[in-house]
Amino acid sequence: NAGVTQTPKFQVLKTGQSMTLQCAQDMNHEYMSWYRQDPGMGLRLIHYSVGAGITDQGEVPNGYNVSRSTTEDFPLRLLSAAPSQTSVYFCASSYLGRGLEETQYFGPGTRLLVL
Amino acid sequence: AQKITQTQPGMFVQEKEAVTLDCTYDTSDQSYGLFWYKQPSSGEMIFLIYQGSYDEQNATEGRYSLNFQKARKSANLVISASQLGDSAMYFCAMRVHSGGYQKVTFGIGTKLQVIP
């Protein structure tokens, strides 16, 4: 199993550009989520999904869109990048119906710099 | 709303000594799970240990133990016999059921440095 994969590992954007951060998992997890990590602020939830076709907003959704057409993939779209979106982005997945003890599996992260 | 508080931005510990990383939480839910993750300088998030709100015994995983004090709403991580490889960021997190879905909230983390 590859686990949770993310591409790209590093990206530089100019203000106003758009891009998609890719996330895929091969563990048949229902739950997938996107976090951003900023110094002194921990991980904050952007969007999450509990299955194909079902997504919802997290704590900091503004400026980001998501969709989930398959169980495996959960891309995160930045429609018009802003310097405030400079961050490290983590995708995570887990089973949903197995109880609270089920940990999330994290991807390696994408480091995004918006100039 | 759920909240995780980690009040130690940075900690130092001598190699082979034990260290406690503090975590307090706030939730109105009766059923919740508490997690600790390690993030080394390479950036990946590594699951360390889990404690359920109904678990009567403190969780242990090798050199990691979770000091769970429900009445105080604290879930401190204890690392025994620290090693140089323990130098990393440590995050406390809480998982609850919210509106039929599960929601995970993270603290801001504690940076641990192990001194030889």
Side-chain angles (χ1 to χ4, degrees), chain A residues 31 35 37 40-43 45 48 50 54 56 90 94-104 106-108, chain B residues 31-33 35 37 39 42-45 47 50 89 91 95-98 101-109:
Chain A
Y31 186 88
Y35 295 89
Q37 182 180 17
M41 304 192 76
L43 277 76
L45 182 65
Y48 66 94
V50 297
I54 307 172
D56 204 349
F90 285 98
S94 71
Y95 291 110
L96 192 56
R98 295 189 180 183
L100 293 170
E101 71 275 13
E102 193 67 30
T103 184
Q104 294 186 93
F106 286 82
Chain B
S31 178
Y32 50 88
F35 299 81
Y37 291 89
Q39 186 180 43
S42 53
E44 71 268 32
M45 295 288 287
F47 165 70
Y50 166 84
M89 282 289 290
F91 291 96
R95 188 176 207 163
V96 300
H97 284 287
S98 177
Y101 301 139
Q102 293 182 0
K103 180 179 178 181
V104 181
T105 304
F106 283 82
I108 64 173

Side-chain angles (χ1 to χ4, degrees), chain B:
Chain B
Q2 292 75 41
K3 186 176 181 180
I4 293 284
T5 302
Q6 294 180 255
T7 58
Q8 305 156 312
M11 291 279 288
F12 290 91
V13 64
Q14 203 78 34
E15 193 178 7
K16 300 181 183 178
E17 297 292 313
V19 63
T20 298
L21 306 184
D22 294 341
C23 172
T24 58
Y25 60 92
D26 189 23
T27 180
S28 56
D29 290 76
Q30 296 301 309
S31 178
Y32 50 88
L34 297 156
F35 299 81
W36 277 92
Y37 291 89
K38 172 184 178 180
Q39 186 180 43
S41 58
S42 53
E44 71 268 32
M45 295 288 287
I46 302 168
F47 165 70
L48 294 178
I49 196 167
Y50 166 84
Q51 178 85 41
S53 60
Y54 294 117
D55 295 341
E56 295 185 351
Q57 290 193 334
N58 288 341
T60 60
E61 289 287 348
R63 294 186 299 111
Y64 304 108
S65 61
L66 201 153
N67 185 1
F68 181 48
Q69 298 188 42
K70 194 170 183 177
R72 295 186 176 184
K73 291 190 174 181
S74 73
N76 298 339
L77 177 70
V78 181
I79 305 174
S80 62
S82 297
Q83 302 172 355
L84 295 178
D86 294 333
S87 294
M89 282 289 290
Y90 289 82
F91 291 96
C92 180
M94 176 170 60
R95 188 176 207 163
V96 300
H97 284 287
S98 177
Y101 301 139
Q102 293 182 0
K103 180 179 178 181
V104 181
T105 304
F106 283 82
I108 64 173
T110 294
K111 185 173 184 178
L112 177 67
Q113 291 185 267
V114 181
I115 305 167

Side-chain angles (χ1 to χ4, degrees), chain A:
Chain A
N1 285 353
V4 181
T5 58
Q6 290 183 238
T7 56
K9 290 185 179 180
F10 181 72
Q11 183 73 45
V12 180
L13 289 179
K14 294 181 179 179
T15 297
Q17 287 184 317
S18 63
M19 79 160 295
T20 299
L21 280 63
Q22 301 291 344
C23 174
Q25 52 90 11
D26 61 358
M27 296 173 281
N28 205 32
H29 287 164
E30 304 94 338
Y31 186 88
M32 296 187 74
S33 55
W34 277 102
Y35 295 89
R36 60 176 290 173
Q37 182 180 17
D38 302 292
M41 304 192 76
L43 277 76
R44 293 181 292 168
L45 182 65
I46 304 171
H47 286 285
Y48 66 94
S49 168
V50 297
I54 307 172
T55 64
D56 204 349
Q57 297 180 352
E59 183 183 354
V60 288
N62 292 341
Y64 308 94
N65 278 356
V66 292
S67 60
R68 184 129 178 241
S69 56
T70 66
T71 300
E72 294 79 19
D73 300 299
F74 191 44
L76 178 72
R77 297 183 186 85
L78 283 70
L79 300 178
S80 179
S84 61
Q85 293 178 304
T86 293
S87 187
V88 179
Y89 292 85
F90 285 98
C91 179
S93 72
S94 71
Y95 291 110
L96 192 56
R98 295 189 180 183
L100 293 170
E101 71 275 13
E102 193 67 30
T103 184
Q104 294 186 93
Y105 293 83
F106 286 82
T110 294
R111 191 174 294 272
L112 177 66
L113 175 62
V114 183
L115 301 175

